[in-house]
Amino acid sequence: MNASPLTLTKKIHSCVRVERDGQALVIDPGGFSEDDAAVGADAILVTHEHPDHFDEARLRAGLEADPAAEIWTLRSVAEQLSAAFPGRVHTVGHGDTFSVAGFDVQVHGELHAVIHPDIPRITNIGFLVDGSLFHPGDALTVPGHPVDTLMLPVMAPWNKISEVIDYVREVKPRRAIDIHDALLTDLARPVYDNQIGALGGADHGRLAPGDATRL
């Protein structure tokens, strides 16, 4: 495994960019994210089909900016893209592993969190990058592998703060950084920061869109 540090850049909502040695992964450039969120990515990972995680226009911008860029995602998304980008869309599922752009990736999880019992559950996968950073998409998946940095879906129609806190406790990362936060108002952020930080048992923080940190 490459020993060089990772640089994490937060994008809007659940989108993040992970870089090392001039190569970049972008995860979940959805409809809330910046228009150019996927531009400059060597590889794009998509956790599921909901529009705040999967936006074809943003993916197209990334793939057109770099003809060598490719996508790794689950079947429900791949089926919508494969015809437009032949040979550049790869279908993966729980238990799969792959290497791309110098990163080793493991796939964990199968289903989206329950929004309401009357709403059918869709598929969802999470990505563990270099055995270090875990992005679960829209689920509280525990990867069964030590996690250094957990991308934490902090506020969604399908969760409440007690579940978020218990998720951090179960995964036991060294630190948790907020994602899925576009609907969280500035008024609420200190409440979430204080409660997760005090009760989660891990270093907890958040980054403004465009901010970066070394992992």
Side-chain angles (χ1 to χ4, degrees), residues 106 108 128 134 141-147 171:
Q106 299 176 14
H108 296 271
L128 180 66
F134 186 58
T141 301
V142 177
H145 185 290
V147 172
V171 176

Side-chain angles (χ1 to χ4, degrees), residues 14-37:
S14 281
C15 183
V16 298
R17 182 184 181 98
V18 184
E19 295 175 279
R20 182 204 288 119
D21 298 335
Q23 295 185 294
L25 287 179
V26 170
I27 306 175
D28 280 2
F32 294 166
S33 304
E34 298 86 346
D35 289 346
D36 63 350

